[in-house]
Amino acid sequence: MNEEALNLSIRKFLKMVGVSSQREIEHAVAKALASGAIAGTETFTAKVNLEVAGLSLSVNFDGEIRLG
């Protein structure tokens, strides 16, 4: 196994997930603000499930998104 290739691949995947996730959340917040569904001061619970096929890996991450 090539540790450097593994680390680079993991970082590339996590960067894609992070950037895409942030963009999706920002769009959802903007849409909810524009429609008046939220005030912009809320805190939302958030969760992510990371699964890696072939490794029997399934890990949940819980957190929160604060607007105010």
Side-chain angles (χ1 to χ4, degrees):
M1 180 182 74
N2 183 329
E3 292 275 340
E4 187 175 330
L6 173 62
N7 287 335
L8 185 61
S9 181
I10 292 170
R11 288 179 184 186
K12 183 177 179 181
F13 173 74
L14 291 175
K15 182 176 180 181
M16 182 269 305
V17 169
V19 169
S20 297
S21 298
Q22 181 173 348
R23 182 175 36 241
E24 291 295 327
I25 293 167
E26 288 172 346
H27 284 262
V29 168
K31 184 177 177 181
L33 283 169
S35 72
I38 62 173
T41 58
E42 295 85 354
T43 297
F44 301 104
T45 59
K47 66 172 64 173
V48 172
N49 181 39
L50 172 65
E51 295 183 16
V52 180
L55 295 178
S56 299
L57 176 66
S58 181
V59 182
N60 292 310
F61 297 94
D62 298 308
E64 61 183 23
I65 308 291
R66 295 180 188 189
L67 304 184

